[in-house]
Amino acid sequence: MKKFWKSGEPFIWLTGGALAFSLVMVAGLVLLVLVNGMGFFWPKEVVRSTLTDGKVVMGQVTEREAIPQPGAPPGTPPRYRIQVKQGNRDLYGADFVWVEESQIVKRETPPEAVVIERREWGNLYGVIKEVREGVRAVAQGPEAGWVALQARLPQATRVFREIRRIEKKEIGAINYAQEKIRLNLKGLELRGVKGGAEVARLQQELAAWQAKYREREAALTELRRSLTASVVVSAAGDKENDLPLSQVVRVYRPNTMGAVAKTGLYLGKLWEFVSAEPRESNTEGGVFPAIFGTVMMVMIMSFMVTPLGVLAGFYLREYAKHGPLLSAVRIAVNNLAGVPSIVFGIFGVGFFIYSVGGTIDRLFFPQALPTPTFGTGGILWASLTLALLTVPVVIVATEEGLAALPGGMREASLALGATKFETTWRVVLPAVMPSILTGLILAMARAAGEVAPLMITGVVKLAPALPLDGFWPFVHLDRKFMHLGFHIYDVGFQSPNVDAARPMVYATTMLLLLIVVALNLAAITLRNRLRKKYAMSAL
């Protein structure tokens, strides 16, 4: 036995077992997130349950669990309860209700039951009573109302989208132009210019934009007046809801849908999740602004951290003289990797936002003060903060790549008459690029999942505008942004409707994992190509 332990074989089995256990745990976690996240979009049947007291509950069953029975004698049969998403929050006050199965005397899946996804107040469950145009009923009953609703909903959706387009694009452009003129007028006033041709020209332009604003407002008023159609839905408990069609996102009858129809609806809801904006306190709709903000922040961070980390690594390995100072710098770099991320966030607020951003505002944007431009959180400062957070990873990876490089490559280049810089630029840097990309992969993975420093350097719950749009200068690095990691935290821990938010947390987590994997795969593919290229060159 002593010889067996000295052989080291038990440690090999122990290491392999620990690795296998870790992989199983990771796979189980990913599977849990995948099942709970992706299953959220599948259209479940609407069940109408009648209870022993005569109460009727209608909705989609989301969960079933055993009821604890402490102190019950042995042999007591188990009791179960189900969680029903009854929706109709404006009618009942809560989206979910627990029902004990023993109290259910009748269950049915009525084919006329509809699920209406609304822009506000969550889902509406019930049966169509009638469809109206203004105060006039144009169809009554579930079937006639369904046909009339299907005929009128596309037009209402088109009008609503046109309203949103005018509000965001046309009126947004007008407000942007007016704000620029206002800031130019204030800038002239700060320089002591209160009259003259330039002021008159700007005021004339401002009046023209104000006229365009009134014209667009009139167009919006006409479009809103055209939205007269509504649907009256009879919900459980003899309650009714008169819902304007402009508030309807989609409507479907899951109890009459086949597998193909459900699959099509599932894919449509999945596409909405990755392409639309959030609604209902981020518990419904999509997460596109958070996807855009996450990817853009990681890209900016990568552009910042790569040259900084590579230059530092080259200096420490290729140019700096060995001594106590170099050892102290290396120790400091290694210690930076263990500093809590929130400390970097506080540094980003104090240095980047208050010092650098405040100075930029005073020098280049005095007309906007006291409203800060760069002197507040934004995607630029958040990216720079994460660049400082991840720069030790890139430095260490670069140094390890340089240390592993054969010394003969440098000596051969110098022997052929190349200078130190030419050798570093044309020989050493390309050869060490795979190691640099390895550090960048680790940096991107960590930056994509960090939340604490972002909460105080620029991330917000809901961003009204993306950092990239069609207004000059197109890339607005001063704007606040949304982030998938913060979105998970906000929806999971700050939402007042926990049960409704839980599926969105799983779905967003899965999406964040996919984005991190995609970014890493792109960098790994590039790294492997470089390794193959320089391995072939060495033959």
Side-chain angles (χ1 to χ4, degrees):
M1 181 61 68
K2 188 175 182 181
K3 182 179 180 181
F4 174 72
W5 283 101
K6 284 185 176 181
S7 66
E9 188 172 346
F11 296 101
I12 297 176
W13 282 100
L14 183 63
T15 304
L19 176 60
F21 179 75
S22 300
L23 292 177
V24 170
M25 292 291 289
V26 171
L29 177 61
V30 173
L31 182 62
L32 174 67
V33 172
L34 181 63
V35 171
N36 287 276
M38 297 297 99
F40 169 60
F41 304 104
W42 186 259
K44 300 179 181 178
E45 291 184 334
V46 176
V47 179
R48 182 163 59 197
S49 304
T50 305
L51 309 184
T52 53
D53 58 359
K55 182 181 178 181
V56 177
V57 177
M58 178 185 286
Q60 296 170 318
V61 179
T62 58
E63 193 174 344
R64 183 176 184 263
E65 67 178 20
I67 300 176
Q69 302 182 70
T76 301
R79 298 164 55 195
Y80 293 92
R81 63 178 183 175
I82 59 174
Q83 186 187 53
V84 180
K85 185 178 181 180
Q86 62 177 354
N88 307 352
R89 193 186 319 136
D90 49 340
L91 300 179
Y92 305 134
D95 279 304
F96 295 83
V97 62
W98 286 96
V99 178
E100 189 173 343
E101 288 186 341
S102 61
Q103 296 179 353
I104 301 175
V105 297
K106 183 180 180 181
R107 276 191 186 185
E108 52 186 340
T109 54
E112 67 274 8
V114 296
V115 179
I116 302 179
E117 296 183 15
R118 300 183 286 182
R119 306 188 192 279
E120 297 177 355
W121 296 103
N123 289 356
L124 177 62
Y125 298 91
V127 177
I128 297 175
K129 182 178 180 180
E130 63 180 17
V131 176
R132 297 175 178 173
E133 283 287 351
V135 296
R136 180 176 60 89
V138 296
Q140 293 184 336
E143 294 302 325
W146 173 258
V147 174
L149 181 61
Q150 294 299 307
R152 287 166 172 77
L153 184 57
Q155 176 62 20
T157 303
R158 282 193 294 269
V159 173
F160 179 82
R161 289 176 178 173
E162 178 65 14
I163 290 174
R164 292 298 304 272
R165 187 192 67 80
I166 293 176
E167 289 176 342
K168 294 188 67 175
K169 294 187 177 296
E170 296 186 15
I171 293 184
I174 292 172
N175 289 335
Y176 183 78
Q178 290 187 90
E179 180 64 13
K180 286 185 64 178
I181 294 174
R182 186 190 69 82
L183 293 177
N184 289 336
L185 287 171
K186 188 174 180 181
L188 291 174
E189 184 179 349
L190 291 175
R191 296 198 299 268
V193 180
K194 298 184 179 180
E198 182 64 15
V199 173
R201 183 185 66 81
L202 290 174
Q203 290 176 343
Q204 186 177 3
E205 288 184 6
L206 182 60
W209 283 113
Q210 289 172 346
K212 291 182 180 179
Y213 181 86
R214 290 190 293 269
E215 177 186 340
R216 293 291 84 200
E217 276 291 318
L220 284 178
T221 302
E222 289 298 320
L223 287 173
R224 294 190 181 104
R225 286 176 181 173
S226 67
L227 294 173
T228 59
S230 64
V231 57
V232 180
V233 178
S234 177
D238 297 326
K239 294 180 180 292
E240 291 185 357
N241 193 322
D242 189 357
L243 179 66
L245 293 192
S246 60
Q247 291 298 312
V248 177
V249 177
R250 66 168 58 88
V251 57
Y252 55 95
R253 296 195 292 189
N255 296 346
T256 61
M257 298 172 66
V260 175
K262 286 187 176 182
T263 303
L265 180 60
Y266 175 84
L267 295 176
K269 295 175 72 173
L270 192 62
W271 172 249
E272 179 193 35
F273 175 68
V274 299
S275 63
E277 295 180 353
R279 60 177 189 272
E280 284 295 296
S281 298
N282 292 346
T283 60
E284 295 181 10
V287 292
F288 176 74
I291 297 173
F292 188 92
T294 302
V295 174
M296 185 173 180
M297 184 211 66
V298 171
M299 293 300 177
I300 296 175
M301 183 277 303
S302 301
F303 285 126
M304 298 292 183
V305 73
T306 302
L308 185 62
V310 170
L311 288 174
F314 266 85
Y315 176 77
L316 293 175
R317 176 62 60 175
E318 299 288 317
Y319 293 94
K321 294 182 179 180
H322 293 280
L325 180 60
L326 182 61
S327 300
V329 171
R330 284 207 172 97
I331 293 173
V333 169
N334 292 329
N335 287 339
L336 277 177
V339 175
S341 59
I342 190 63
V343 176
F344 285 94
I346 295 172
F347 174 82
V349 171
F351 179 72
F352 290 128
I353 296 177
Y354 292 156
S355 298
V356 180
T359 302
I360 292 174
D361 283 352
R362 288 190 296 271
L363 293 177
F364 301 102
F365 304 98
Q367 67 275 13
L369 295 175
T371 303
T373 302
F374 281 92
T376 184
I379 191 169
L380 175 62
W381 305 138
S383 301
L384 287 176
T385 301
L386 289 186
L388 290 181
L389 175 68
T390 56
V391 72
V393 179
V394 181
I395 293 175
V396 172
T398 303
E399 280 204 82
E400 290 178 353
L402 291 171
L405 202 64
M409 294 183 65
R410 300 179 181 84
E411 294 170 358
S413 176
L414 295 172
L416 292 173
T419 63
K420 177 76 171 177
F421 177 78
E422 289 174 337
T423 300
T424 302
W425 181 255
R426 297 182 179 275
V427 177
V428 177
L429 179 60
V432 83
M433 190 61 71
S435 298
I436 295 173
L437 289 176
T438 300
L440 183 60
I441 291 168
L442 298 174
M444 289 193 302
R446 183 177 182 185
E450 282 292 345
V451 176
L454 302 179
M455 294 172 64
I456 54 178
T457 56
V459 75
V460 291
K461 176 185 178 73
L462 183 64
L466 296 177
L468 182 67
D469 58 22
F471 302 133
W472 176 261
F474 308 122
V475 180
H476 306 274
L477 298 179
D478 58 307
R479 287 184 181 173
K480 300 183 184 299
F481 67 104
M482 295 181 66
H483 184 270
L484 285 173
F486 181 77
H487 185 82
I488 294 170
Y489 162 77
D490 175 69
V491 174
F493 299 97
Q494 302 295 314
S495 174
N497 197 346
V498 178
D499 291 319
R502 189 182 298 113
M504 184 66 73
V505 171
Y506 282 115
T508 308
T509 302
M510 193 67 223
L511 184 60
L512 179 59
L513 290 176
L514 290 176
I515 289 177
V516 172
V517 169
L519 292 173
N520 287 351
L521 284 178
I524 289 171
T525 302
L526 179 59
R527 181 187 65 184
N528 291 340
R529 288 184 178 180
L530 289 174
R531 280 180 176 172
K532 184 177 180 181
K533 174 183 177 181
Y534 291 108
M536 295 296 293
S537 300
L539 295 178

